[in-house]
Amino acid sequence: DTEVTQTPKHLVMGMTNKKSLKCEQHMGHRAMYWYKQKAKKPPELMFVYSYEKLSINESVPSRFSPECPNSSLLNLHLHALQPEDSALYLCASSQEPFGAGGSYEQYFGPGTRLTVT
Amino acid sequence: AQKITQTQPGMFVQEKEAVTLDCTYDTSDQSYGLFWYKQPSSGEMIFLIYQGSYDEQNATEGRYSLNFQKARKSANLVISASQLGDSAMYFCAMREGQTSYDKVIFGPGTSLSVIP
């Protein structure tokens, strides 16, 4: 099973709402990632979790709050978002963080298309 | 400073022909990895091929091969015998760092259209 699942597929939320995005993998991967992707642009790294600990936060605004409850699950909690936060949010996982010595390509989920109204 | 450059925003190729997508990168790390991903209009990112900085042979995966020129910091993707299903965005990406630092940077992408 090389699948990363993400729910929901689509999300529309108002600027005062609180919502969460969920990502799950059952491949035993120890590194998980959140990316934001605007139309016709490359994915931008937001957060990296290595061995369930936050290892990279790319200066993401605090209205985005990641959480890794266990090694298979990654959440992204959203609060007081702005319309410019509308994008495709991609989750990815890899067997190990890169420095562990292998290629460890990332497996991506299908993404959540978020619209903030 | 942009670390990954893909100079071809859009490309066309005739079906069954080969096509080369360019990628140059910049890093001061000795240990790094280079990846190519395909993103169809559906949005899912699909891993195609990987080249490690210490790999001496160019990577190949079926119809995909990576032309790795380390001194020139170049990692071009070659797709042989193009198919209509190859129409998509293609991203070159670099992963660099040691055990405490793990970052993947994507290039701006190349949109490939395969013509029947």
Side-chain angles (χ1 to χ4, degrees):
Chain A
D1 181 9
T2 57
E3 190 179 24
V4 176
T5 60
Q6 287 187 246
T7 54
K9 285 188 168 45
H10 301 273
L11 178 63
V12 179
M13 60 185 290
M15 290 190 284
T16 58
N17 291 157
K18 285 185 182 181
K19 296 286 184 185
S20 297
L21 309 185
K22 180 180 171 181
C23 172
E24 202 160 3
Q25 56 87 13
H26 295 287
M27 296 177 277
H29 287 181
R30 305 315 302 268
M32 295 186 77
Y33 309 79
W34 279 115
Y35 288 89
K36 173 183 177 180
Q37 187 178 25
K38 298 285 248 183
K40 300 193 185 303
K41 296 289 186 184
E44 296 174 17
L45 184 65
M46 299 174 72
F47 303 103
V48 180
Y49 273 84
S50 296
Y51 298 95
E52 301 168 48
K53 293 193 186 330
L54 183 65
S55 61
I56 293 177
N57 176 342
E58 288 288 274
S59 303
V60 179
S62 60
R63 57 186 184 268
F64 295 91
S65 175
E67 178 195 20
C68 188
N70 59 58
S71 60
S72 300
L73 192 54
L74 188 65
N75 297 322
L76 185 63
H77 302 298
L78 314 173
H79 173 55
L81 294 193
Q82 304 297 311
E84 59 265 27
D85 296 322
S86 298
L88 178 68
Y89 288 83
L90 292 163
C91 173
S93 70
S94 65
Q95 187 175 340
E96 295 283 345
F98 180 63
S103 63
Y104 303 133
E105 66 270 20
Q106 293 177 310
Y107 292 85
F108 282 82
T112 294
R113 290 198 182 273
L114 174 68
T115 302
V116 181
T117 61
Chain B
Q2 188 161 340
K3 290 198 163 190
I4 304 279
T5 302
Q6 294 179 253
T7 57
Q8 307 149 314
M11 286 195 72
F12 292 88
V13 64
Q14 203 76 35
E15 193 178 5
K16 299 180 186 173
E17 297 290 314
V19 63
T20 298
L21 306 184
D22 295 341
C23 172
T24 57
Y25 60 92
D26 182 31
T27 181
S28 56
D29 280 2
Q30 296 301 309
S31 176
Y32 55 90
L34 296 156
F35 302 80
W36 278 91
Y37 286 87
K38 171 185 177 182
Q39 188 175 39
S41 56
S42 59
E44 186 173 357
M45 296 282 284
I46 302 166
F47 165 72
L48 297 178
I49 197 166
Y50 165 82
Q51 181 85 39
S53 57
Y54 295 118
D55 295 342
E56 295 184 355
Q57 304 260 16
N58 284 341
T60 60
E61 288 286 348
R63 294 187 299 112
Y64 305 107
S65 60
L66 200 152
N67 184 358
F68 182 47
Q69 298 186 44
K70 192 171 181 177
R72 296 180 59 190
K73 295 189 175 178
S74 163
N76 298 339
L77 176 71
V78 180
I79 306 174
S80 63
S82 297
Q83 302 171 356
L84 295 177
D86 293 335
S87 295
M89 280 292 287
Y90 287 81
F91 292 101
C92 179
M94 177 171 64
R95 196 169 179 186
E96 55 184 354
Q98 301 304 314
T99 52
S100 60
Y101 181 78
D102 175 28
K103 206 164 178 177
V104 179
I105 300 162
F106 285 80
T110 295
S111 177
L112 178 67
S113 297
V114 180
I115 305 165

